[in-house]
Amino acid sequence: MLVAGAAFAQDAPDVAAVEDDGVRWFNAEGVPTFKIEADGTIDWPTFSGYRRYHAECHVCHGPDGEGSTYAPALKDSVMRMDYYDFTGVVASGRQVVNAADNQVMPAFGTNPNVMCYLDDIWTYLRARGADAVPRGRPAKRAEKSEAYAEAEKLCMEQ
């Protein structure tokens, strides 16, 4: 049993925040991740991800990434899925239709309300999947940085 637990821990996704570029946090592989302070304050992009997820994604995927009868629990999917695959599915969509399945994820690649905040949505869902953020609106959040506001403005103006 200990060996199985060790294997699982080794396969656990890397969510540790090691570098901040002024806009968001990244793990050792350069993939966006969340940062939670000792007092429970979450970084702004993860809070933004909470807001954007509930504005664009929860209708199908359920509140807090928990899933629904209609679509899978994204808080679980992102813990098994590569960041780049996640980005591709959101941008291009996915369709699985056969005798046993009927899943259609629409493409959001032209929707700036999703694509400009895709990293935020990713970090929020990873925080949920790692049980680092409980269900509901996060109680404490960092303020939006000037660098984040500028990056957001540039993306939305494209």
Side-chain angles (χ1 to χ4, degrees):
M1 189 71 129
L2 182 60
V3 174
F8 177 74
Q10 186 178 23
D11 294 337
D14 179 11
V15 295
V18 297
E19 184 178 10
D20 175 8
D21 69 355
V23 175
R24 71 184 68 258
W25 286 91
F26 297 89
N27 68 12
E29 298 169 346
V31 172
T33 195
F34 57 91
K35 172 80 170 178
I36 302 174
E37 301 299 334
D39 69 353
T41 301
I42 65 170
D43 62 291
W44 175 264
T46 302
F47 179 75
S48 171
Y50 161 81
R51 293 172 54 217
R52 295 298 171 162
Y53 174 85
H54 285 88
E56 301 289 339
C57 312
H58 91 276
V59 172
C60 294
H61 291 281
D64 306 308
E66 292 287 331
S68 70
T69 58
Y70 187 70
L74 292 183
K75 75 177 189 71
D76 298 332
S77 297
V78 298
M79 301 310 281
R80 297 184 307 267
M81 185 177 232
D82 178 85
Y83 166 75
Y84 303 101
D85 291 338
F86 174 81
T87 300
V89 168
V90 174
S92 302
R94 177 183 284 174
Q95 190 167 351
V96 178
V97 179
N98 57 45
D101 226 352
N102 185 11
Q103 297 178 8
V104 179
M105 165 76 182
F108 287 93
T110 60
N111 183 340
N113 288 313
V114 173
M115 296 311 294
C116 288
Y117 302 96
L118 190 56
D119 288 348
D120 300 359
I121 295 167
W122 167 261
T123 61
Y124 166 68
L125 289 169
R126 294 277 283 199
R128 287 284 302 124
D131 290 326
V133 172
R135 291 191 74 171
R137 184 181 178 95
K140 296 180 183 179
R141 61 165 171 79
E143 294 299 316
K144 183 191 297 190
S145 70
E146 288 183 29
Y148 183 98
E150 182 62 26
E152 178 180 39
K153 179 182 176 204
L154 288 172
C155 186
M156 292 301 281
E157 290 175 348
Q158 290 183 5

